[in-house]
Amino acid sequence: GPLWEMRLLEQPPGSTTNAPFADPPTLILRGADGLMLESGAPHTVFVELLQGRFLGADTSSTLLTPGGQRNDSVAGLVSFAGLSVNTPGAGFRLAFTRCPFRSTLSRTGCCMTRESLWTQEVCDAYGARFSTVISEPFTIRNGGISLLAPYSTPLGVELVPALFMIAADPFDVGVRVVDEDGFALATRSYNVTVRL
């Protein structure tokens, strides 16, 4: 029926790679009268990932959905637990599409199966039967840092302490943050602590 509002109760806070969001994205659905939809009026909601940016290029990340990319509302609420993203980046968004109960979702809209003399799938290409909301952008931090490697300048000079030094003389040391695939991370800063 007519939908007055579908909105996120809280925006996705972001996370690290392959780690579920601390709070599962939850949406509230209200009818044309402004009241939360009752349990007798469920809808099916779909979630998908809108890509972000990493190392100056568009990502090709995957949204991991342990409970599936669709969920049915219960008394005007629908939640997606365990969502995670498999690669780092910034500017990701989640898109949530509301369809009639037990629909499927295609690029032509919400689709429902009708049976008469034969089974027929009918899709709404004009959006009259569905609505979509998109989250605020969020960041997925790199959870796959593998090691801190001694840093070399472009000329090959390693920025590591000398074996012998004069007391109280300052010296430079540098490290490179390397991920689990062997790539140096260059898109954000990291706090590195040095202790004797």
Side-chain angles (χ1 to χ4, degrees), residues 43-174:
H43 289 76
T44 296
V45 178
F46 299 84
V47 61
E48 62 181 314
L49 180 70
L50 304 183
Q51 296 296 325
R53 301 275 293 174
F54 183 66
L55 294 178
D58 291 336
T59 60
S60 56
S61 304
T62 300
L63 179 67
L64 307 175
T65 55
Q69 288 186 289
R70 54 177 287 172
N71 207 348
D72 297 327
S73 65
V74 176
L77 292 172
V78 61
S79 184
F80 290 87
L83 296 184
S84 62
V85 179
N86 68 335
T87 60
F92 291 106
R93 295 173 185 257
L94 294 177
F96 300 90
T97 301
R98 188 266 320 188
C99 286
F101 186 52
R102 293 182 178 168
S103 298
T104 59
L105 182 65
S106 73
R107 293 302 170 194
T108 56
C110 301
C111 302
M112 301 189 70
T113 300
R114 296 180 180 171
E115 294 189 13
S116 52
L117 296 177
W118 59 86
T119 301
Q120 180 183 15
E121 186 176 63
V122 178
C123 299
D124 178 5
Y126 303 102
R129 294 170 60 84
F130 66 94
S131 57
T132 298
V133 295
I134 297 175
S135 76
E136 294 295 321
F138 58 88
T139 297
I140 300 297
R141 298 175 302 279
N142 195 330
I145 294 175
S146 175
L147 56 90
L148 297 176
Y151 175 72
S152 296
T153 68
L155 297 177
V157 178
E158 288 191 355
L159 296 178
V160 295
L163 293 177
F164 299 97
M165 291 172 286
I166 298 174
D169 269 6
F171 62 91
D172 294 326
V173 63

